[in-house]
Structure formats: structure tokens, C-alpha cells
Amino acid sequence: SIRIRRAGYSVRRPFKEFFNRFRVLCPSITAKGNTDPDHKELSKRILVEMEAKFEREKNPVEAKSWQVGRSKVFLKEDLQGRLES
């Protein structure tokens, strides 16, 4: 955890919490009625989709702005702010 924070990933969110908070940004990414969805994979898809969106808007995010761990998504503060806005 300390190593991740030192690498600049100050925001940590469990996959389910991340997905539930940011799924509105990518309405096409859904759990499709699955009673036990893979929140890790859904979270990664949201992050990849948002990276592509920022790139299309000519406002790309910094390289390696996020990482996926065993149970959480790790974000740099800048990306967190952009997802929230």
C-alpha cells in the first residue's frame, strides 16, 4: 500500500464501488443482468473507455494514471478529478 501511494496512486477504490460510482460515464458498459458481475473487468473497461474518450478530445491523461490491483483500482489524483468532473 505504501509503495503504491509513493508511486503517485493516492486514490484507492474497491472495484464494486468504482464501477457503481463511474458507470454513468460509460452507459454501454453494464453488468448485463448478471447477478455476480466481474467488477474488476467492468472497472478496467470503464478506465480504458475513458482514456480513449480523453484522447479523442485531444486531452489525454498522463501515462499510467491508473493501476488495477487484486481488489481495488488505484488512481492518480489528476485522473480522479477528471472522472469526477
Side-chain angles (χ1 to χ4, degrees):
S1 178
I2 292 172
R3 194 171 63 226
I4 292 167
R5 186 177 284 279
R6 284 191 184 144
Y9 300 100
S10 58
V11 180
R12 302 178 299 283
R13 290 189 184 273
F15 297 128
K16 187 173 183 176
E17 178 187 316
F18 179 89
F19 175 71
N20 287 334
R21 183 172 186 94
F22 296 111
R23 66 183 176 184
V24 298
L25 299 175
C26 302
S28 64
I29 299 174
T30 66
K32 296 182 183 116
N34 189 341
T35 57
D36 187 25
D38 183 350
H39 287 104
K40 180 177 184 175
E41 185 57 36
L42 292 168
S43 296
K44 282 170 47 174
R45 288 178 55 204
I46 288 172
L47 287 161
V48 168
E49 181 67 32
M50 290 308 295
E51 269 188 331
K53 179 180 184 273
F54 292 138
E55 186 76 36
R56 285 191 305 273
E57 294 172 349
K58 305 286 189 245
N59 192 11
V61 295
E62 173 187 344
K64 297 186 178 179
S65 290
W66 56 274
Q67 295 286 322
V68 174
R70 279 183 270 165
S71 62
K72 294 180 182 173
V73 174
F74 299 91
L75 306 169
K76 292 191 175 180
E77 198 69 40
D78 178 59
L79 179 56
Q80 167 75 12
R82 291 177 68 183
L83 292 173
E84 293 283 355
S85 63

